[in-house]
Amino acid sequence: MGIKRLLTRLGWGGATVETVLRDEAVVPGGTIHGRIDIDGGEVDQRIDRLTTGLVVRLQDYSDVEFRRVEAGAAFRVAGGDTVTREFTMDVPWDMPVTVHRGQPLKGMDVGVNTQLHIAAAVDPGDFDPIAIAPLPAQAAVLDALAQMGFDFYSAVVKHGRIADAHAGAGTDRQRSPLFQEIKFYPPSGSRSPLDKLDVTFATDAEATDVILRAETFDGVMADAVKTSTAFTVAHGDATAPDWPALVGGWLATLPARRA
């Protein structure tokens, strides 16, 4: 038995964990519902804590945690037995969007990370992807851009303040140290000076600020000229803005490319 306990502490034959999510997709400000199954290994083990977190996985495969909650107090799991715990977790309003129209946004990887906290043993964690769907205002913006012919090509999550990255289009709704940029190419054949368009959402319980940043390149060796603007839409606003008109009107104000 002593050998089995030693191997268990090193990660062989110990308890394993599997998280089962009940929601195919959630929205910012919503709630994740799930179940955690802990299967006992070859020996009895004491689980000191059971936690689950909501994380964004970056391009270097490091995880940035938005939230972590307790999913179970200390308990014992006997070898060969299964213990199940239910959990719920609120989704922060400023979570990055990972899908649009049912299609994943390239570059986004968000999931629920469950951890068994076991003293003096390897933690058999579990990572389960979950889709973050846009709120109605966010979906309206993305739909409008698709209607206008913009082509999505990637999305990224960055560290920092939106106000610092988008001069002239600050927002006080940002709560986390991260923000998302959803990147588009302009419509094919467009005569606009626009070369790229970034969309950022800053959301709280009352409304969403939509920050748009246009990038234009005036010559091959020149640095990009970045121009930003922002619009606000309340979650309960019954009259949705005419987003194609708003976006098109703003793009029309961009300075023309020099000959």
Side-chain angles (χ1 to χ4, degrees):
M1 181 62 71
I3 294 295
K4 284 188 176 181
R5 290 192 179 279
L6 174 60
L7 292 175
T8 296
R9 291 182 178 182
L10 296 175
W12 288 284
T16 60
V17 59
E18 181 177 0
T19 307
V20 180
L21 302 177
R22 304 191 189 282
D23 312 282
E24 290 186 4
V26 294
V27 296
T31 303
I32 295 172
H33 305 82
R35 184 186 82 238
I36 302 170
D37 296 330
I38 303 99
D39 291 331
E42 296 185 13
V43 298
D44 297 353
Q45 282 186 282
R46 172 186 168 86
I47 310 301
D48 295 322
R49 294 171 61 212
L50 177 64
T51 66
T52 187
L54 187 58
V55 299
V56 175
R57 184 156 288 174
L58 303 183
Q59 289 180 329
D60 63 0
Y61 297 102
S62 64
D63 291 341
V64 177
E65 192 167 277
F66 269 71
R67 178 155 295 170
R68 181 159 293 276
V69 299
E70 298 284 340
F75 60 94
R76 295 192 70 83
V77 56
D81 284 353
T82 298
V83 175
T84 296
R85 294 287 186 269
E86 303 282 340
F87 75 93
T88 61
M89 181 166 47
D90 294 336
V91 180
W93 286 101
D94 51 3
M95 279 300 296
V97 174
T98 69
V99 296
H100 177 230
R101 295 182 173 179
Q103 298 299 312
L105 299 182
K106 179 182 177 182
M108 291 295 98
D109 191 4
V110 173
V112 173
N113 170 246
T114 301
Q115 294 180 358
L116 286 181
H117 300 261
I118 305 173
V122 174
D123 179 8
D126 187 31
F127 183 88
D128 293 87
I130 190 167
I132 308 296
L135 290 161
Q138 297 170 337
V141 174
L142 299 178
D143 287 344
L145 291 174
Q147 177 185 334
M148 297 170 69
F150 282 86
D151 291 321
F152 165 79
Y153 72 92
S154 73
V156 297
V157 176
K158 296 183 176 182
H159 287 273
R161 303 298 301 171
I162 296 172
D164 296 335
H166 298 267
T171 174
D172 59 3
R173 299 189 194 279
Q174 183 181 4
R175 296 293 178 268
S176 82
L178 307 173
F179 66 92
Q180 180 184 32
E181 288 181 348
I182 305 175
K183 299 177 177 294
F184 295 86
Y185 286 126
S188 178
S190 171
R191 301 184 65 180
S192 167
L194 177 71
D195 288 288
K196 295 180 181 178
L197 181 68
D198 295 343
V199 179
T200 293
F201 299 119
T203 305
D204 61 16
E206 283 73 42
T208 293
D209 287 343
V210 182
I211 298 97
L212 305 175
R213 183 174 70 183
E215 292 190 21
T216 58
F217 295 90
D218 192 6
V220 175
M221 301 300 295
D223 292 334
V225 177
K226 300 177 181 180
T227 309
S228 298
T229 191
F231 307 96
T232 300
V233 57
H235 298 313
D237 192 346
T239 57
D242 184 346
W243 288 109
L246 279 174
V247 175
W250 175 65
L251 294 178
T253 68
L254 296 177
R257 197 188 309 275
R258 291 197 296 266

